[in-house]
Structures are given as structure tokens and as C-alpha cells.
Amino acid sequence: HYFIQSNLRMNDVLLLGEEELRGFIAKQVGVDVLLAKQVSHVNKNKHESSVLALSRHRVILYNSRTRRVDYNINFLEVNSLTSGSCSTLSLSTEKVLIQLESTDIDPFIVQFFVLLSLSFPACQIRSLTAYKILPESRENRIISKVESLAESSDGEMTLLNTFRPAYEAFCDFYDISPLPLVVWIIEQVYYVQKRNVFNLQDFDHFPNGHILAALSTIKFIGWFKGIKSKDRKLNIEISQKIFALCRIYPSLNSLCLSGVGPQIGDLLEVFNNADLKLTSLDISENSLDDKDAAVMCNGIYKLTGLQKLCLAGNNFTSRGLKMIVDSLKQVSCPSLVSLSLDRCTNIRPDGWACFLDLLCHCVSLQTLSLADTSIPLESIWTPLLHGCSSQLRELRISGTRFTAGKASVSPCYKKVNRFVVTCQELNCLDLSRCKLPLEILKLLLKGLSDNILLSDVTIDISSCELGVAGVRLLGSLVPSLSSISTLVVSSNEAEGELVALLAALHGNKGVRHLDISNNINRLREKDVFVKCLVSLVEDTENVLQTINISNMRLKAELEPFLACLAYNRKVVDLDISGNNISNTGARVLAQSLSVNKTIRKLALDNNQISLQGFRDLLAAFTLNSTLQSLVVPHQDIVNSSRSNEIATLVHEMSRIVEKNNAPELEGDDILLHQQHFILNSAENLQLDSAVVGLYDNLTSAQGRRGDAFSNTKKEGLELLKEAEKCYQLMHLLHDKADQMRRNIYSSAADSSIYKQTAEKITEIVNKELGVLSSQYYNVMEKSLPNLFTAHTTKNSVQNFCEEKCQIDESTVHSSLTKTFQHELAMTIGKCMLQAETKITTLVVETMVSRLNDLTKRVKFRYLDHILAPSSHMNNAGPMDSG
């Protein structure tokens, strides 16, 4: 201790023992030192006395003469290690060569390799750094010792035991502190969900240094197979790290760099210089032009196993497209299963000939996307027939057009029908915004009807300007379209023909998802449409699960449909946005939701619902335990003059929806929740009564003057605000207890806990219960500081929290049976309930007492004011005189 605190001379350092030397070097560099050894540093043929030390991630060389650190090098900076004998050692980095001499250097080499292995347990030492140790027998002895010391007891190498040490090593390399949240995302999200594509969007909220550190681990942990960055401008450091991984990481088979900015040009150069094994490549939305296409083609030529290629949203012309097509023809045609050229708007209609020829050779193609391009719609059916019609699953050609005249289009009619009939795997056909001729629509639907191999097909013909005639045609064919499961007919100016379409759906047993939104803005007989919709929903043989009737402006006419949802057992997804149902419609919907048990997702924005309507909906949400998704009604919130209050109600509705997503409870768990509910209900009623009493008396005395009453009134308003916090506190206590109970329940579910003794289990559980009690007290002290003005109440709560709510060892011991997990969880749940009951009762009793006392004072002030002598009334206002 004396040596570490004092300013040592050179001779003093040389006299230090090993433990004292470690402490001295640790003070100089500010990190824990695991090994320190006196060495001689050979510098320009001169020998200088130094101390060679190892920390968790660094090699440190301290100069005993100059009393300063000459080198502080991260392990990852060491390119090679050479040792010709037991007394010599050379470490080389990109900038420096360090030559050392010592009596026995082998312990340092062993410890260096052990620490390196612990940082990167999934890698062999040879892959981490180059080394040469002579003679060979000595090298074998050292490596054998390293392997025995660094042997992992965790079994199989997974993210749980490989990412954290590697990430910490790279954080040290980049001179930053590791963030636990980064480790949590990898271990609890990527590992649990078995995600092996590193998505930079998951780390957007972290500094670039931590993203670099996490990216750098990919090469060393062997888990990730792909990298994804979408709509995120990459800086130079991150893009260079990604490109370096493309060169050196052989397991990388998926790369998505969509909308990453100008750095994409460097990647195209990587294509030419690296032997990539990519099977999936997405470089969409990068504004690549023909020059970039020329560079990229050389790289695509090497991707012999390419299966998915996305080039959407780029600026290729016909010339660039031809170069890409020629490269694909040479290597990737047989293996290509997905191809996207969406929004490549610079390609002229006559420049797609080479691409159509490519389609004839893509026999394995399963997904083809050409949305919003200038490709002639009449020209794609023949290549698809000759190429991939038997394998194609998704065809997305929305926003394309028939460019030829009617006479030229006619020959392709039969090819459309033949294509649909020959498809064997088709499950998605997107023809939205295509302005389909009625003859094409008829043959296409006829082909779907005739093809007995297809099922669960999604067909989107929205915004196709079908008009009344097109929807009438659709209605006549719908009964025979049993292969269609999703039908989207929105924005087609269908008007009155929607009634016929709904009537036709009575005979269809395949359509489960229906979108007819934005179709009847000028329809006069809206009540007829709603009546048909109600009839369809109430049909016991219908299979509709999703209904979208948004932007129809049905107003009050929609109320019968909202009412019929009360006992519907099939609809799970409902969108009624933009129908102006107002508060009356919201009340009808609330009544239905309070008893409906099937609706999972609800959208109701832009409906002119005000504060009262949302109050009704919130009341219904509290009774509904099945709704799991609510689209936030932003438009109604913004349009209201009381937007803050509505936003609060919507937030509470969202909280209830999130709670509904929690795992379902069974048996005694339900009983515990019922007990919590009864507790909160009883205390709420008690608190409600006291709050209402005070509020009524303050309202009755409104307008009274005088300092004494003003102070009482001010105190009353403050107390009402505090009572509102008391409501929130009760909910918070319940949520914390429930969450803590679930956490302990999950811990008890771990198989390893069965092997522990009853004493150990008791210790774990009681520790968690102690944390819960402390949280109770902290929350109350922060939320309701004025509540503890009564000293006795504060002591009562604090004493209870210090006592904690514990279970004894005998209870746990008797539960160590096959039903251990269940019985222990129930014991914990009862302890939580006991804690919540006692604390909530203390809080509410104190609050109610204060409310009642103030109510009495308000009454006495009021009576005193009325019975006062007339001289005191001279300053009274009109209301007082009256």
C-alpha cells in the first residue's frame, strides 16, 4: 500500500513483488492488472528496464526509468507474436515492433492467449492473431495449457456466451464503456427470437462507437448470417466496417443496404474485389445510375448462388438494365427466386425487351415485383408462361399500364387467363392502380375460378377505375371464387354496386378479409348498404374475419353495423376510420366492445369523436380483455379543442390493449387477479365517495369571499389533485406487484432452480419481495409527498416495508414437488396481495380521512359565512347578497 501511494524511484520499482507491482501499474493506467513482470525492453539496441503487464484487454509496457507508460495496446491491435526462446518476445502492431527479454516469458504468453480466448470463445487462437513460438514442442505445451485454462463450462457456443466478451473487447478497442442495453438486445431479442440478421435500425439510438463495436463482433461469434440497414444514411466508419465484413466474413449470405446514401459506391467496388457468397442482396433506393450498374455487374457475375435481388428505386436506364440482365443470365437465372425492380422509372417502355427475355429463363422465380414501372403490362404474360408460372407465388405489378391500343391488347387476353390457370403456387396478385380493361378482369377472375390448385389467394384490384360495371362484373363472379381469401376493392367508385357485391359474398366461403373502403362518397342509400353489410356479418355461414370500410362517411347510418358486432364471433380486425360516427356512434361501438370477445384489432380515427365519446370507449375497454391492437386516432385528437384530455384517455386505452397482450392466466392466477380487482374496487369506491363529498361542497360554496375560505378552497383543490395521484398510485402498485410476481414465477420456471435447496430458493424470493416493498415505499414518497405529513402514517408504511413480506423456508421445502413451480408462484402471489392490500389500505384511509376533515371545514366555513353579522356582508358580491 505504501509503495502504490508514493512516488517510486526506478530502483524502488525493481524491488517490488509481483502483487505490489500489479497494484502499482494498475494505479498508473487506471485498470485492473492481472499480471505484471519485470522485463528488459530492447529499444534501438539499448536495454531499458520496464514492466510488462496484462489487463483484461490490453498489453501495457511501463518504463521504469522515465516512469511513464510507453505502450498501452489493445489485444486486437497485436498483429503477431513471436518468441524464439523462453527469454525473448516480440509483439508487432501496424505502427510499432516491441522486443522484450526476460528470464521466463512463457507465463505472459499463456496469460495473453487465455485472455484472448476468453474474449472470443468461439474462435481459435490462430484465427485471432499470428504467432510463432519455437521450438515446436514448446508451442504445443503452451497451447495445451491455454486450452485447459480457457476451457468453457457453458457447453455449446451461443450468443449468450460469445457476444458479451467480444463486445466488451471491442468497446475497449474503441475506448468507450460497454452499454448493458446493447448486450440485452442481442441476448434477449436476437437470441430468443433466433434472429441471425444484424439490423442497424435496432441500434439507431446508440452512439456510432457502440454500433461499430457490435458490428465488429460479427466475425468472431459466428451467429449472424446477414446485415441489414434500411433508410439510414451510413457514416464512413460504419460503412467501411460493413464492407470489411463483406471481404473477410465467409458466413455472410444476406446483405440489405437500402437507402444508405453515397457510401453505396464503395460497396460496388467490394463486389469486384471480394469473393462473396451472398444469396440475398438488397441495394434499393440508392439512386444508382448506369455507371454504378456497370461496376455492379462484375460483382453480380461472381454471385453464383444469388437467390434474392432487389434493385427497386434506382435510376437505371434501359442501358443499365441490359448490363444487369446480361450478368444475371450468365450465372444466376436458375437459382433466382425473388426479383424486384419497383419504381425504376427511368427505363423506357421499349427498353424492357431484354428483361422479358430473362423472365423466360428464371424457372425458379417465386416473387416478381415491377410496381410503378413503365413495363408494358400486355407483354409480361408470355414470358411468365414460358418461365416460372408453375413456381410463382407473388406477382406485384401495381401502377403499371397497358401501353398498346385496344387492337394490340386483344391477343394477350387469352394469355392472361392461361397464365392464371397454369399457376400452381400463386398466393398474391397485386394489380392495384393498373386501370384494368373489363375483359382482362373477367378472364383473370375466370382463371382463378377454374384453377383448382390454388387456395388462400390475395388479390388487390384497388384504384383500378373499375367503376360500376367492373364491380358488377366482380359481383357476378365472386360466388365461384373459392380460392380467394383476401379481396381488396377499395377506391373504385363502385357506388351502389357494392350492395350487389355484398349480396354475392353470401355465397362465397373463401373470402376472409374484405377491403371495400373509400368507395361510396356520393352514395345516397347508405342505409341499404349498411343493411346488406349487417346481413353479411350476421350470416352464420360467412367466414369474414377482417372488414375495412374506412373513408365511407356513413355517419349515423353505420350504427346498426356497430351494434351487430356485440355478439359476432368471427370478425377479428375492424377498420371504420373516416366514417364520422361522432359520439353517438362511439357509444354504440362501446356497448358492443364491452361484450365482444373476438375483435383483436381496431382502427377508428377521423370519426369526429370528442371527449365524451372517448370516455365511453375507455369504459368499454376496461371490460374488454381480447382487444390487442388499437390504431391511435391522431386526427380526432388534433381536431378536438380538448386534445390533451383525449390524448390521456387514448393513452389509457392503449395501456389496456397492451395489457391484453400479456400471457393468459389460468386457475388460481385468475383468482389472485380477481382479489386484486376486488381490493382496488373497494378502495376506489371509498376514495370516490370522499372525493365527491369534498368536490360537491367546494362547488356549493363557489363565489364566497374572505381569506379564510380562500385558503380552505385552495387547500381543497390541492387535495383533490393529490387524490387523483392516489388513484394512479393504486394502479401503479398493482402493476408493480403483478410484474414482480411474473418475474419470480419465470425464475422459478428455470430447471436449474429445482436443484437448489429450499434455503437458497427462500433467499432469492425474499430478496425480490424486499425489492418490491422498497419500490412501494419509494413510489408513494415521490407520488404523494403531502400524504406523509401525518407522522404516524409514514412510520406505519415504512415499518411495514422494512419488515417486508417474506415466505419461510418450510413453505418452500414443502413445495419442492412436481407442482413446485405452481405452488411457489401462488405463495408469492399471495404475499404480493398482502403487501398491496396493507399499503393501499394505509394510503387510502389516510387520504379519505384528510378529504373528510377538509369537507367538514368547508361546510363550517360556509355556514359561518352565512350566519355572520350583516356588517361582514358589506363587501359581499352579488352572489353573496343573493
Side-chain angles (χ1 to χ4, degrees):
H1 178 75
Y2 168 77
F3 281 121
I4 293 175
Q5 295 298 325
S6 62
N7 188 13
L8 299 182
R9 297 186 302 275
M10 173 181 165
N11 290 337
D12 296 329
V13 174
L14 295 176
L15 294 173
L16 289 177
E18 182 180 348
E19 185 175 349
E20 295 164 330
L21 194 60
R22 289 205 315 269
F24 172 72
I25 299 299
K27 181 185 176 185
Q28 306 302 311
V29 296
V31 296
D32 292 336
V33 173
L34 305 176
L35 182 146
K37 185 176 183 61
Q38 301 281 0
V39 296
S40 178
H41 177 209
V42 182
N43 187 11
K44 297 180 181 178
N45 296 325
K46 295 182 180 180
H47 291 254
E48 294 185 346
S49 295
S50 301
V51 178
L52 180 64
L54 284 176
S55 69
R56 182 65 179 83
H57 301 111
R58 291 187 169 267
V59 177
I60 302 155
L61 188 64
Y62 177 80
N63 192 315
S64 302
R65 181 178 62 81
T66 61
R67 290 182 292 178
R68 68 181 184 184
V69 176
D70 283 347
Y71 299 107
N72 190 345
I73 303 169
N74 186 280
F75 291 170
L76 295 166
E77 298 178 67
V78 178
N79 292 335
S80 66
L81 179 151
T82 305
S83 177
S85 67
C86 294
S87 59
T88 61
L89 175 66
S90 295
L91 297 174
S92 67
T93 69
E94 291 183 357
K95 298 180 179 179
V96 67
L97 174 63
I98 304 173
Q99 294 180 315
L100 305 169
E101 293 181 359
S102 179
T103 53
D104 185 9
I105 207 69
D106 285 1
F108 173 86
I109 298 175
V110 170
Q111 188 71 9
F112 175 79
F113 283 161
V114 167
L115 292 174
L116 203 57
S117 298
L118 292 176
S119 294
F120 306 100
C123 299
Q124 299 293 326
I125 297 175
R126 180 69 72 180
S127 65
L128 298 173
T129 185
Y131 62 86
K132 184 177 182 180
I133 301 174
L134 297 175
E136 186 176 349
S137 58
R138 175 171 164 247
E139 176 183 330
N140 294 336
R141 187 173 64 252
I142 289 176
I143 297 302
S144 176
K145 189 170 184 179
V146 169
E147 290 175 349
S148 64
L149 291 174
E151 184 178 4
S152 174
S153 60
D154 294 328
E156 182 184 358
M157 293 290 104
T158 66
L159 276 184
L160 297 180
N161 49 29
T162 58
F163 176 78
R164 184 190 295 269
Y167 169 67
E168 290 174 350
F170 276 103
C171 283
D172 184 89
F173 178 77
Y174 289 113
D175 196 21
I176 56 178
S177 299
L179 293 179
L181 186 54
V182 173
V183 178
W184 185 90
I185 290 175
I186 295 294
E187 293 183 349
Q188 301 300 323
V189 178
Y190 280 80
Y191 178 73
V192 172
Q193 298 180 8
K194 293 181 172 55
R195 291 164 52 180
N196 59 9
V197 175
F198 188 95
N199 191 346
L200 269 69
Q201 287 179 311
D202 294 334
F203 304 87
D204 270 348
H205 48 295
F206 297 118
N208 287 332
H210 291 280
I211 299 177
L212 275 173
L215 265 175
S216 301
T217 64
I218 290 178
K219 172 188 173 184
F220 300 96
I221 59 181
W223 173 273
F224 292 101
K225 306 299 181 184
I227 300 173
K228 180 180 180 180
S229 176
K230 195 168 184 179
D231 300 326
R232 185 187 194 278
K233 303 301 179 185
L234 299 181
N235 62 21
I236 295 177
E237 292 82 5
I238 292 179
S239 60
Q240 287 179 346
K241 176 58 65 176
I242 293 175
F243 303 151
L245 286 170
C246 290
R247 293 189 186 97
I248 63 177
Y249 185 48
S251 299
L252 191 69
N253 57 34
S254 174
L255 184 63
C256 172
L257 297 176
S258 176
V260 298
Q263 304 299 333
I264 193 66
D266 296 334
L267 175 67
L268 302 180
E269 295 294 339
V270 173
F271 279 0
N272 293 333
N273 302 322
D275 185 18
L276 302 179
K277 305 295 183 183
L278 296 179
T279 59
S280 176
L281 176 63
D282 182 350
I283 49 175
S284 58
E285 311 298 341
N286 283 305
S287 302
L288 301 178
D289 55 20
D290 291 347
K291 292 182 180 178
D292 297 320
V295 176
M296 183 177 61
C297 286
N298 294 329
I300 291 180
Y301 177 76
K302 299 177 182 179
L303 300 177
T304 56
L306 187 65
Q307 297 179 4
K308 300 179 180 180
L309 178 62
C310 181
L311 301 172
N314 286 304
N315 296 332
F316 307 128
T317 65
S318 303
R319 179 169 169 268
L321 179 63
K322 187 176 187 308
M323 289 187 286
I324 294 172
V325 166
D326 290 341
S327 298
L328 290 173
K329 281 183 179 179
Q330 295 183 43
V331 288
S332 300
C333 276
S335 61
L336 204 62
V337 297
S338 178
L339 180 61
S340 174
L341 289 168
D342 295 341
R343 301 178 299 285
C344 289
T345 56
N346 288 351
I347 304 172
R348 299 191 308 272
D350 58 354
W352 289 92
C354 60
F355 178 77
L356 295 172
D357 184 51
L358 173 70
L359 289 181
C360 296
H361 298 84
C362 295
V363 293
S364 301
L365 198 63
Q366 297 177 8
T367 302
L368 176 62
S369 188
L370 300 170
D372 297 304
T373 61
S374 60
I375 188 169
L377 199 52
E378 66 273 9
S379 62
I380 67 171
W381 310 106
T382 300
L384 291 175
L385 271 171
H386 287 88
C388 59
S389 62
S390 61
Q391 300 293 325
L392 193 66
R393 296 182 179 180
E394 297 183 18
L395 177 60
R396 303 182 182 275
I397 48 177
S398 59
T400 56
R401 291 288 189 272
F402 287 94
T403 58
K406 186 173 182 180
S408 301
V409 172
S410 297
C412 85
Y413 287 176
K414 293 183 179 179
K415 294 176 183 176
V416 173
N417 179 267
R418 186 181 169 194
F419 163 75
V420 177
V421 170
T422 56
C423 286
Q424 300 177 16
E425 303 290 340
L426 189 67
N427 57 33
C428 179
L429 184 57
D430 186 355
L431 297 165
S432 59
R433 298 178 289 111
C434 282
K435 198 175 181 180
L436 293 175
L438 291 184
E439 189 64 26
I440 289 284
L441 178 63
K442 180 179 179 180
L443 291 171
L444 189 147
L445 296 175
K446 190 69 169 60
L448 288 172
S449 176
D450 294 340
N451 192 330
I452 61 174
L453 299 176
L454 298 182
S455 62
D456 291 332
V457 178
T458 296
I459 179 167
D460 186 348
I461 48 176
S462 59
S463 304
C464 281
E465 301 180 22
L466 298 180
V468 174
V471 176
R472 184 185 298 122
L473 172 64
L474 177 62
S476 66
L477 295 173
V478 156
S480 62
L481 295 175
S482 59
S483 61
I484 295 180
S485 63
T486 302
L487 179 61
V488 183
V489 203
S490 60
S491 306
N492 271 301
E493 301 179 1
E495 300 297 335
E497 288 303 321
L498 279 180
V499 174
L501 177 60
L502 292 179
L505 284 169
H506 276 283
N508 185 289
K509 300 300 182 290
V511 177
R512 299 193 301 275
H513 312 283
L514 177 65
D515 183 351
I516 51 176
S517 60
N518 198 25
N519 262 312
I520 56 175
N521 293 340
R522 299 188 300 274
L523 181 65
R524 294 182 180 178
E525 298 180 354
K526 295 181 180 180
D527 56 335
V528 178
F529 167 77
V530 174
K531 189 178 295 184
C532 289
L533 185 59
V534 171
S535 175
L536 178 62
V537 171
E538 291 181 341
D539 185 355
T540 56
E541 295 185 359
N542 99 83
V543 292
L544 277 180
Q545 298 176 3
T546 302
I547 299 177
N548 186 344
I549 50 173
S550 59
N551 300 317
M552 303 281 269
R553 296 178 177 81
L554 295 171
K555 300 184 179 178
E557 283 84 352
L558 190 60
E559 291 175 14
F561 170 72
L562 299 178
C564 81
L565 294 172
Y567 298 101
N568 181 274
R569 294 294 177 264
K570 295 179 181 178
V571 177
V572 297
D573 188 343
L574 179 65
D575 188 346
I576 55 171
S577 304
N579 276 292
N580 301 341
I581 62 174
S582 72
N583 288 345
T584 307
R587 187 178 299 112
V588 176
L589 176 62
Q591 292 170 352
S592 295
L593 289 177
S594 63
V595 295
N596 183 281
K597 302 299 181 185
T598 55
I599 293 179
R600 300 287 185 270
K601 183 177 181 181
L602 177 65
L604 43 68
D605 196 10
N606 196 18
N607 268 306
Q608 297 182 358
I609 302 175
S610 61
L611 183 61
Q612 185 56 48
F614 281 108
R615 283 174 176 164
D616 293 336
L617 287 170
L618 177 57
F621 273 49
T622 58
L623 299 173
N624 187 302
S625 60
T626 55
L627 195 61
Q628 297 178 356
S629 175
L630 173 68
V631 179
V632 177
H634 294 289
Q635 198 65 38
D636 282 332
I637 295 174
V638 171
N639 291 341
S640 174
S641 59
R642 306 178 73 174
S643 56
N644 290 337
E645 296 175 71
I646 292 178
T648 302
L649 294 175
V650 171
H651 175 72
E652 184 64 20
M653 291 161 64
S654 300
R655 192 185 71 82
I656 293 172
V657 167
E658 290 176 4
K659 195 171 182 180
N660 289 344
N661 280 315
E664 294 185 2
L665 303 173
E666 296 181 358
D668 292 330
D669 274 348
I670 296 178
L671 178 61
L672 276 176
H673 266 256
Q674 289 173 345
Q675 292 173 340
H676 279 288
F677 177 76
I678 293 169
L679 162 71
N680 285 329
S681 298
E683 304 297 350
N684 269 327
L685 288 173
Q686 189 180 356
L687 194 57
D688 284 344
S689 177
V691 168
V692 170
L694 177 59
Y695 181 79
D696 287 345
N697 279 277
L698 287 174
T699 304
S700 300
Q702 187 175 5
R704 299 293 160 197
R705 297 182 180 178
D707 293 340
F709 186 79
S710 297
N711 293 334
T712 305
K713 179 181 177 183
K714 184 177 179 180
E715 184 181 353
L717 294 175
E718 290 295 327
L719 192 56
L720 286 175
K721 291 181 181 178
E722 196 168 333
E724 182 64 30
K725 290 183 180 179
C726 193
Y727 284 111
Q728 299 172 4
L729 174 64
M730 290 166 65
H731 289 296
L732 185 60
L733 291 178
H734 172 64
D735 290 344
K736 280 186 172 295
D738 189 54
Q739 185 59 45
M740 187 70 73
R741 185 180 62 81
R742 289 176 182 275
N743 290 345
I744 302 175
Y745 186 90
S746 299
S747 299
D750 186 0
S751 60
S752 62
I753 205 169
Y754 290 104
K755 303 175 184 178
Q756 300 183 38
T757 62
E759 180 182 358
K760 183 64 176 176
I761 296 172
T762 306
E763 179 185 345
I764 293 172
V765 174
N766 286 337
K767 181 180 178 181
E768 295 295 334
L769 289 170
V771 172
L772 174 66
S773 299
S774 300
Q775 286 181 346
Y776 276 166
Y777 183 74
N778 293 335
V779 168
M780 284 188 294
E781 195 171 32
K782 292 178 182 177
S783 301
L784 300 169
N786 296 330
L787 183 66
F788 294 113
T789 54
H791 187 69
T792 55
T793 303
K794 181 174 181 178
N795 287 342
S796 298
V797 176
Q798 193 169 16
N799 290 338
F800 175 76
C801 291
E802 288 177 353
E803 290 171 6
K804 303 177 184 177
C805 189
Q806 299 189 340
I807 57 176
D808 55 31
E809 186 176 336
S810 60
T811 302
V812 179
H813 184 72
S814 63
S815 299
L816 285 173
T817 61
K818 291 183 179 179
T819 59
F820 160 71
Q821 179 185 352
H822 172 72
E823 292 182 12
L824 181 58
M826 283 306 304
T827 303
I828 295 165
K830 290 173 183 176
C831 290
M832 299 298 182
L833 181 61
Q834 180 184 348
E836 185 185 354
T837 302
K838 187 164 184 176
I839 295 175
T840 304
T841 302
L842 284 169
V843 172
V844 172
E845 285 179 353
T846 305
M847 179 61 70
V848 168
S849 175
R850 292 181 61 199
L851 287 166
N852 290 335
D853 288 344
L854 189 57
T855 301
K856 292 177 183 178
R857 278 194 285 153
V858 171
K859 287 181 179 179
F860 288 138
R861 293 287 183 192
Y862 181 46
L863 292 172
D864 181 60
H865 188 80
I866 292 176
L867 300 176
S870 58
S871 59
H872 292 276
M873 300 288 288
N874 293 334
N875 296 326
M879 281 189 66
D880 298 302
S881 302

